[in-house]
Amino acid sequence: MQRAVEQRGIPTVSISVALDVTRHVKPPRAVFVPFMMGHHFGVPFHTELQRHIIREALNLVVEARESGEVRSLAVTWAQARRQGAANERAARGETGAEITGA
Amino acid sequence: MTARFDDAGRQLRPGLWETVNERYPGSMITKDDYVPLARLRRPLAESRLTFISTAGVQPAGTLPFDTVHPVGDYTFRRVPSGATPGELEIHQLKYPTHGAARDLNVIFPIERLQEFAAEGLIAALTPHFFSFIGYNMDAERLERTLAEEIADAVVADGADVALMSPA
């Protein structure tokens, strides 16, 4: 699918949570995040992380020089979940909680 | 029941993402080569972005994806890019949706993309995003039909750049 779009002259980037599949499919550009399936953009209500992943993907569109680059983001699932939970506590106004960025 | 992932470091053991196809058996396209890169025709801030997803997200009330067909559903839905999460629903059976049930943006980041368009990181969104389900057991058929149909629809919608998310 990604290759079909790219071949129409439209640059593409995908978000991967499956390095094995990405290696088989060989998309033109991909950003890998070590997150569970169904959570490619992170965790609920962690808007900064969701934005970070999209920005990094778009950066790769601008910066990639060779087809097939897979860029891994320096994030972990545990960290994303901790930050997401902290953000939700802060949004509920619980004391001691503060908003955490990506 | 609340899922516990507090020791996510252990649960998502290193290298887990090397075995996704083993654990979620499905058809998989295998390529031996790379397609040439297309280049942005204009800067991102002047580009119109589309989003293509296998998440099975669709406008509420449209014909649900056939999630129980043995070889999959090779149709796609257009999702208005100005929709709110409340106007959308998910029909699929192959990935965990506990995050998406609380915040659709974890798999279909429509609000984040709307923000980026409003802020000017990108010029605009295409009128539609494009969605289908990942459960398609005939990879050759998907490549021959659905991939081509969506690629044509993306061109018709005036996309300059495409963000894609294989759920």
Side-chain angles (χ1 to χ4, degrees):
Chain A
M1 179 87 55
Q2 188 174 346
R3 294 162 62 106
V5 176
E6 190 90 17
Q7 286 177 313
R8 281 165 175 73
I10 298 171
T12 62
V13 60
S14 57
I15 310 297
S16 167
V17 296
L19 276 178
D20 54 343
V21 177
T22 301
R23 290 208 183 94
H24 276 272
V25 177
K26 295 185 173 55
R29 306 172 196 77
V31 163
F32 170 72
V33 288
F35 295 165
M36 70 186 303
M37 285 181 76
H39 296 72
H40 293 44
F41 298 90
V43 296
F45 312 115
H46 196 337
T47 57
E48 266 316 305
L49 177 60
Q50 296 167 2
R51 288 167 61 92
H52 175 67
I53 292 166
I54 296 168
R55 270 196 307 263
E56 288 295 316
L58 294 178
N59 286 343
L60 183 58
V61 171
V62 173
E63 294 165 9
R65 290 291 167 263
E66 278 187 39
S67 188
E69 179 169 349
V70 180
R71 188 172 289 183
S72 292
L73 299 193
V75 291
T76 68
W77 180 240
Q79 178 189 47
R81 284 184 49 81
R82 272 198 304 274
Q83 292 177 348
N87 289 356
E88 288 192 60
R89 282 196 300 275
R92 288 195 300 266
E94 292 177 20
T95 53
E98 55 187 52
I99 302 284
T100 323
Chain B
M1 191 186 79
T2 305
R4 299 291 297 177
F5 297 101
D6 288 341
D7 29 355
R10 278 206 298 277
Q11 173 165 1
L12 297 188
R13 64 184 188 274
L16 194 63
W17 19 91
E18 302 283 356
T19 62
V20 174
N21 196 249
E22 248 171 64
R23 292 179 292 112
Y24 292 83
S27 63
M28 187 160 65
I29 293 169
T30 300
K31 295 292 184 185
D32 298 322
D33 60 350
Y34 293 93
V35 298
L37 287 186
R39 299 293 177 188
L40 280 174
R41 288 172 285 222
R42 45 187 76 89
L44 266 184
E46 298 170 23
S47 294
R48 186 186 292 208
L49 180 139
T50 200
F51 178 57
I52 305 168
S53 163
T54 70
V57 169
Q58 53 185 102
T62 55
L63 181 69
F65 288 112
D66 186 350
T67 56
V68 293
H69 193 287
V71 296
D73 184 336
Y74 297 80
T75 66
F76 71 94
R77 303 286 180 274
R78 287 180 173 83
V79 176
S81 62
T84 64
E87 295 169 332
L88 306 175
E89 58 191 23
I90 299 177
H91 290 273
Q92 70 81 38
L93 299 174
K94 293 290 280 184
Y95 68 85
T97 51
H98 58 277
R102 299 176 60 222
D103 179 4
L104 183 67
N105 294 288
V106 303
I107 193 63
F108 200 88
I110 189 165
E111 291 178 300
R112 301 294 86 77
L113 295 173
Q114 291 166 352
E115 289 165 9
F116 282 136
E119 294 164 10
L121 180 74
I122 49 178
L125 304 173
T126 52
H128 307 96
F129 294 156
F130 301 90
S131 172
F132 58 108
I133 59 171
Y135 180 74
N136 288 296
M137 293 308 291
D138 185 343
E140 189 275 329
R141 177 178 170 193
L142 181 137
E143 199 174 0
R144 181 167 40 80
T145 61
L146 184 57
E148 295 296 317
E149 289 163 14
I150 289 185
D152 286 342
V154 162
V155 171
D157 239 29
D160 297 309
V161 57
L163 175 67
M164 309 183 67
S165 180

